[in-house]
Amino acid sequence: MSLAIINAAVFDGESAEPVDGPVLVEEGRVAAIGGRADADRVIDARGGTVLPGLIDAHCHAYGISLDMLSIEASPLSYLALTGARRLTAALERGFTTVRDVAGGDPGLARAIAEGTIRAPRYLYTGAALSQTGGHGDPRGVDSDVCGCHAHTSEVVDGVDAVRAAVRDRFRRGAHAIKMMTSGGVMSLADPIRVPQYSAEEIRAATDEARRRGSYVAAHAYSPEAIRHSVENGVRSIEHGNLMDAPTAALMAEHGAFLVPTLATYDAMSRRGADVGLAPVGLEKNREVLTEGAKAIELARTAGVAIGFGTDLMGALEDEQLQGLRLQAEVDGVLNTLRSATSVNADLLGRPDLGRVKVGCPADLLIVDGDPFTDPSVLWGSPEHRTVIQAGVPIGEAA
């Protein structure tokens, strides 16, 4: 079936200026932009704008709570069913691709691929790797209980153990590898700035990933942790809030990406206590809350490729679109749209995504209006947008 989207401007994911439509889709791919558009079906955008489907490069399908131990103690069946709902909601907001950087497994991925679950394109890392007492270790300083399931994070210590864990994740279909290389907001027992994992352990992971044609994404906040990660081969720095200018320059030199997650700090500052964030987490969040915007500014000045992520856990997932607003306030609408489309696609190694170009999959978002003159159309109600995945409006049979 062919599809034409008429009466629309088109942002292709890269260019500074939109172009005139229509957009013609055939066999699930963009067939033409502009000119005539004879098709089996026509969608009238009524002066709206066609964008590439959005990409959230820091999403957690299994992040059903702000209590890490609760997640790791839950049955996988429950996490998968709840995660499926979270993914469907993300798709309805316009996120046609997500990268799950601490969770996911072959069963969930298979259900999505077979159409059992209506979800974005799903690239997962499996459980993140954490050292003992690191950000992914759910135990507090005074508890020895075991969150043994390793749904979102697994404690793995030592070079040989890290290497084996990385190999097994790729065996199980992982897109990339996630490591915790600094403390974090939600973990109970680690300072937020201190680097985690030894250089040898990080290099074991990055070496295995490189030979597999993949990469490592690292949770890292401080300059020390970011440098420790990038110098040992990490390609994607998640969060990066406490970055300084020399560290941003180092990232640019190494070709590393920054994936900011402004939405989660803003949401936790307003709602964290109400949704179960521990007092120690609230205190850590205050430390990094205002620094995320500065990190984006430093990265932009240094020439670092800046992606887009949200990192929203539990009930905070409904703040996903607000991440666009927060990043646009710092980096402008054009840069933010590029970050959430073509830059994220490049990070994922999928240049066919995040773009409205002939031959690319027709993962598209139609918004009511012009986001460059009225940016609020990007984060407004999902009812005022049309989401198309592989040429099919969501909610319809392929």
Side-chain angles (χ1 to χ4, degrees), residues 192-375:
I192 203 163
R193 291 176 175 267
V194 175
Q196 296 179 2
Y197 273 123
S198 68
E200 293 79 11
E201 288 168 314
I202 296 174
R203 283 199 300 270
T206 58
D207 176 60
E208 289 293 333
R210 177 185 53 78
R211 288 191 288 108
R212 189 71 181 225
S214 184
Y215 63 94
V216 172
H219 162 108
Y221 281 107
S222 66
E224 303 95 317
I226 296 169
R227 289 197 299 269
H228 183 56
S229 303
V230 170
E231 288 174 344
N232 286 294
V234 166
R235 181 166 181 253
S236 173
I237 294 295
E238 310 300 303
H239 318 302
N241 294 46
L242 305 178
M243 179 190 304
D244 59 18
T247 305
L250 179 72
M251 286 182 63
E253 177 186 339
H254 284 262
F257 287 71
L258 173 68
V259 179
T261 56
L262 300 183
T264 191
Y265 311 107
D266 179 75
M268 285 193 292
S269 72
R270 292 181 286 103
R271 299 169 56 190
D274 295 332
V275 296
L277 183 61
V280 65
L282 290 169
E283 182 60 33
K284 288 181 177 182
N285 192 64
R286 280 190 283 272
E287 182 178 355
V288 300
L289 173 62
T290 60
E291 301 303 309
K294 296 177 186 176
I296 291 175
E297 293 169 349
L298 290 169
R300 180 64 64 195
T301 299
V304 175
I306 302 171
F308 171 85
T310 57
D311 191 29
L312 293 161
M313 307 288 281
L316 302 181
E317 65 169 312
D318 61 5
E319 304 264 354
Q320 193 175 27
L321 288 171
Q322 294 304 311
L324 297 170
R325 175 182 63 81
L326 292 163
Q327 195 153 324
E329 288 174 355
V330 179
D331 206 25
V333 173
L334 176 60
N335 281 336
T336 298
L337 279 175
R338 287 170 172 165
S339 292
T341 56
S342 60
V343 176
N344 269 353
D346 291 343
L347 167 61
L348 302 179
R350 289 291 306 268
D352 58 323
L353 301 179
R355 292 168 169 87
V356 186
K357 290 190 174 181
V358 173
C360 289
D363 292 354
L364 308 171
L365 171 62
I366 308 171
V367 294
D368 291 347
D370 178 0
F372 298 100
T373 58
D374 179 14

